[in-house]
Amino acid sequence: MKTSIPHIASNTFREAVRDRVLYNLIAFALLLSGAAILVGQISIEIEKLVVINLGLTAVSLFGVVIAIFIGIGLVSKEIEKRTLYTVLSRPVRRWEFIIGKFFGLAGTLTVNTFFMAIGVFAALFYVSHRFVRADALIFVALYFIILEFLIVCSLSLLFSSFSSPLLSAVFAFSLFVIGSFSDDLRNFAGMAHGVSRWLATGAAYLVPNFSAFNVITSIAHEQPVAGQLILQNTLYALFYAAMVLSGAVLIFEHRDLK
Amino acid sequence: MSPELVMPSIEILGLEKTYQVGFWRRRPKQALRPLHLQVEDGEIFGFLGPNGAGKTTTLKLLMGLIFPTSGSARILGREWTDPGVKAQIGFLPEQPYFYDYLTAQELLEYYGQLSGVPGKQRRHRIGQVLHQVGLRDVQGLQLRKFSKGMLQRVGIGQAILHDPKLVFFDEPMSGLDPMGRREVRDLMEQLKHEGKTVFFSTHILSDAEALCDRVAIIHKGEVLRVGAVDDLTSSVRGKVEVIWQGTQIPASIKALGAECHVTAEMVRAILDEKQQDAAIDALRRDRLRLISVTPVRTSLETYFVEKLRHAETSAGSIAGGV
Ligand SMILES: Nc1ncnc2c1ncn2[C@@H]1O[C@H](COP(=O)(O)OP(=O)(O)O)[C@@H](O)[C@H]1O
Ligand SMILES: [Mg+2]
């Protein structure tokens, strides 16, 4: 079966590249090399800790910001500028458009993360002059970060399919922050009573569980990641993103274009 | 004749659109009354009406960009929602806008892919179309640097790129200089010549008059008349112009209620078509030399204004009667 998804995805990627999104890599490189040089005076163990912690946190934050800022415009901007008219009047189904946009954005972030990862490893090599086996754990952390991006991308797209970029940004950032503290939310739900317990439990299970994706601190301390967590996070991210995308498709399928 | 040959290109079966307007107190606004319309295969059909009449709404409904309150349509013999239909139609939106980070060439490449035009054929067609709409020299320029008129050309290019059987143009001449309008007109005639059906909307009557096999006149969401330009215009007045030599006006012709203008060596009389034979007989009786008899055609412009004024007053009287 012929589908437009790859064409839409690659055009989305091209747009991001031409809008100079990848320029963020320069800021990232500056940040990382600055940090590496600054901590260069301290003992090797601490240096590594700082570089991994700071490097991976930056990879995650830069990516989330990009995912939200591109994602929130992906649908609403095309409706606003009416670029969609000449796309949807072709043999392109609306769900293909959403899914294509998702893959385009996810692809952009993956490429971006790939370059950042090179930066992290380079900084690591700069401070410790060699790689050890435990450094392979960084790949797991990067993988989790990408899984996290998939969820953020899907959420931005969902908001973009029914609200303005500004509101979408607010929604997406709020969800990201709440999701990052979802562990605390769950703890709170466990302690609360009555209605607030209900609400907190509902919220805790509805918001994306980003806490589970954050293994940066533990791998910086060379603690291994359980295989089960990898599997669990993979399934969770795919399921969550798929659900959110279905919602986006459902909304967009029935929407009048301006 | 095989049934395929007589199949209409577009059948609009009571499409209707009511928008909900207002933020706090939502109230309905009927943009399109139930519309019935049939466009035949191979014709240039003009969808004519002033701003706000519902032309764009109709086209967006047909393209599946908005959803009807009720009704349906068939395009090229299939349900209009059938995805297969979309590969065979082209659409030029009103004041089109495109991905401005792409060049004209890249945009057409992308749209060719979306329309499922195979690779080799696609490259060939893109070259052809860029030439046809006069954008060959700027094909490598990003669209953000394009003027409105150039974007209109890109819009036409993308609409005909995949060699569709049927094209929908929303105000194709707007934003173009006289040269550009002329080119668009020629292009539409070319498309018709290639056996394609052209459905275009306009509020500019002269464009429709020169081009269309048939027009529909739409006003405030309602189609007032559908017909050939000739029929619509001549049927209103049904006057003829009779010219004969000399300066003499037979009394019997005056009696017919003719409006006569005498010049140096001839008389021009405008009278009802029905009186034409009587007038010619009168001239023959008086042995006057007839020069010509021609139907006087009201221009579409006059017709349009009259029709709309009529619609306005009858709507007013309905409202007044309630
Ligand atoms: N999205 C919308 N929401 C509310 N009203 C609309 C919308 N789009 C069009 N209309 C109204 O519907 C009517 C028909 O508009 P349109 O189809 O654009 O007219 P035309 O293309 O003939 O100029 C107008 O009165 C317009 O104000
Ligand atoms: Mg319009």
Side-chain angles (χ1 to χ4, degrees):
Chain A
M1 193 189 83
K2 264 212 295 268
T3 168
S4 318
I5 294 174
H7 304 307
I8 292 168
S10 62
N11 191 48
T12 306
F13 180 77
R14 178 163 56 180
E15 176 174 14
V17 172
R18 295 212 176 153
D19 281 348
R20 308 191 167 82
V21 166
L22 297 181
Y23 279 20
N24 79 92
L25 290 170
I26 297 173
F28 178 80
L30 288 177
L31 179 81
L32 209 60
S33 38
I37 293 165
L38 264 179
V39 298
Q41 283 81 23
I42 326 169
S43 80
I44 283 188
E45 282 317 300
I46 303 285
E47 278 175 7
K48 262 192 87 167
L49 209 66
V50 172
V51 166
I52 292 177
N53 249 313
L54 184 90
L56 291 179
T57 305
V59 170
S60 161
L61 285 182
F62 272 61
V64 166
V65 169
I66 293 171
I68 291 177
F69 274 101
I70 303 181
I72 54 171
L74 282 184
V75 181
S76 53
K77 206 177 70 198
E78 293 227 7
I79 292 178
E80 198 58 36
K81 291 191 167 176
R82 296 182 295 124
T83 43
L84 256 178
Y85 284 17
T86 40
V87 172
L88 294 184
S89 56
R90 294 179 188 280
V92 174
R93 278 153 293 192
R94 288 189 178 205
W95 65 264
E96 290 180 306
F97 179 77
I98 296 281
I99 304 301
K101 283 282 170 186
F102 174 77
F103 280 119
L105 181 53
T108 309
L109 284 161
T110 306
V111 170
N112 201 57
T113 309
F114 172 78
F115 286 117
M116 286 183 168
I118 294 177
V120 172
F121 280 110
L124 195 61
F125 190 75
Y126 173 82
V127 295
S128 55
H129 308 293
R130 66 195 173 92
F131 290 124
V132 295
R133 255 190 94 89
D135 293 341
L137 284 171
I138 293 175
F139 286 113
V140 179
L142 287 168
Y143 175 64
F144 282 2
I145 287 172
I146 288 179
L147 289 180
E148 186 178 65
F149 291 164
L150 296 185
I151 296 178
V152 178
C153 288
S154 66
L155 285 169
S156 309
L157 262 171
L158 170 70
F159 296 133
S160 184
S161 66
F162 68 84
S163 89
S164 71
L166 186 67
L167 273 181
S168 301
V170 173
F171 290 150
F173 269 114
S174 316
L175 262 185
F176 173 69
V177 172
I178 300 171
S180 301
F181 294 104
S182 55
D183 264 356
D184 298 321
L185 196 58
R186 269 163 221 220
N187 290 337
F188 170 74
M191 293 182 300
H193 299 283
V195 182
S196 53
R197 185 189 184 109
W198 270 86
L199 286 177
T201 311
Y205 282 97
L206 225 53
V207 300
N209 182 14
F210 288 137
S211 303
F213 291 84
N214 192 344
V215 291
I216 296 174
T217 318
S218 66
I219 69 140
H221 289 98
E222 302 192 353
Q223 290 161 5
V225 178
Q228 201 193 337
L229 183 66
I230 298 179
L231 182 69
Q232 207 175 304
N233 276 354
T234 305
L235 293 179
Y236 178 81
L238 294 183
F239 178 75
Y240 198 96
M243 280 296 137
V244 173
L245 283 178
S246 310
V249 167
L250 225 59
I251 292 170
F252 189 58
E253 284 281 350
H254 300 286
R255 202 186 148 169
D256 273 357
L257 301 191
K258 191 180 71 102
Chain B
M1 230 193 268
S2 82
E4 207 166 303
L5 283 174
V6 293
M7 177 188 79
S9 270
I10 311 170
E11 280 174 282
I12 301 177
L13 310 163
L15 275 186
E16 179 186 0
K17 181 67 181 176
T18 302
Y19 287 107
Q20 294 297 323
V21 294
F23 191 78
W24 295 114
R25 289 183 49 208
R26 311 277 282 171
R27 53 189 193 283
K29 170 162 185 12
Q30 197 174 34
L32 192 66
R33 310 261 186 98
L35 170 68
H36 297 269
L37 197 63
Q38 185 158 323
V39 175
E40 304 305 330
D41 189 33
E43 68 178 343
I44 300 185
F45 192 95
F47 201 43
L48 205 53
N51 283 326
K55 305 181 295 293
T56 299
T57 300
T58 306
L59 285 167
K60 280 166 75 179
L61 284 168
L62 289 174
M63 293 303 114
L65 301 173
I66 56 176
F67 299 95
T69 308
S70 69
S72 69
R74 293 179 73 76
I75 295 178
L76 300 169
R78 292 196 249 178
E79 241 355 85
W80 94 115
T81 45
D82 183 339
V85 167
K86 297 255 180 86
Q88 297 179 30
I89 61 177
F91 175 48
L92 165 71
E94 188 175 18
Q95 296 172 5
Y97 192 79
F98 304 101
Y99 301 108
D100 57 11
Y101 53 90
L102 297 182
T103 66
Q105 149 87 35
E106 286 167 340
L107 185 87
L108 293 183
E109 175 74 24
Y110 179 43
Y111 282 167
Q113 290 169 340
L114 293 184
S115 286
V117 184
K120 206 173 150 212
Q121 195 183 331
R122 195 163 64 229
R123 272 181 293 282
H124 175 69
R125 265 304 280 173
I126 291 171
Q128 214 174 13
V129 164
L130 282 169
H131 180 73
Q132 213 168 349
V133 297
L135 292 176
R136 253 259 147 90
D137 300 335
V138 289
Q139 63 180 44
L141 199 65
Q142 279 192 349
L143 295 174
R144 66 175 91 243
K145 305 205 174 92
F146 273 38
S147 69
K148 247 181 122 179
M150 285 156 84
L151 286 176
Q152 189 79 11
R153 287 164 189 268
V154 176
I156 292 169
Q158 61 82 32
I160 60 173
L161 174 67
H162 46 296
D163 200 21
K165 283 204 181 84
L166 164 64
V167 291
F168 295 87
F169 291 161
D170 198 357
E171 307 268 0
M173 280 95 156
S174 77
L176 293 180
D177 54 22
M179 266 287 280
R181 305 177 95 85
R182 182 54 203 256
E183 283 170 22
V184 172
R185 204 181 289 176
D186 290 348
L187 182 112
M188 287 204 251
E189 257 157 11
Q190 171 72 26
L191 291 174
K192 178 188 158 84
H193 188 71
E194 290 167 14
K196 303 185 191 319
T197 310
V198 180
F199 181 92
F200 79 100
S201 82
T202 182
H203 64 278
I204 301 163
L205 298 140
S206 54
D207 289 336
E209 189 157 30
L211 262 173
C212 297
D213 296 303
R214 289 193 308 140
V215 295
I217 292 176
I218 179 172
H219 180 54
K220 293 193 170 166
E222 191 176 15
V223 167
L224 303 178
R225 264 308 274 279
V226 184
V229 174
D230 281 353
D231 293 345
L232 287 190
T233 53
S234 60
S235 70
V236 223
R237 289 279 166 81
K239 301 261 179 183
V240 286
E241 180 189 60
V242 182
I243 300 178
W244 64 89
Q245 214 161 39
T247 53
Q248 190 193 339
I249 304 170
S252 53
I253 288 187
K254 273 187 185 154
L256 293 173
E259 198 184 305
C260 300
H261 306 272
V262 185
T263 56
E265 66 261 22
M266 58 187 179
V267 182
R268 260 178 70 227
I270 310 266
L271 41 80
D272 247 29
E273 208 169 32
K274 291 186 222 92
Q275 320 284 13
Q276 175 185 325
D277 290 343
I280 293 169
D281 287 344
L283 292 178
R284 199 174 294 142
R285 272 197 307 274
D286 289 17
R287 297 188 188 284
L288 289 165
R289 202 169 142 234
L290 181 66
I291 296 177
S292 67
V293 179
T294 37
V296 178
R297 286 188 33 218
T298 339
S299 75
L300 202 50
E301 184 96 36
T302 322
Y303 175 72
F304 197 55
V305 169
E306 222 159 73
K307 198 78 202 170
L308 294 190
R309 191 183 306 133
H310 184 71
E312 213 96 287
T313 50
S314 65
S317 69
I318 290 166
V322 172

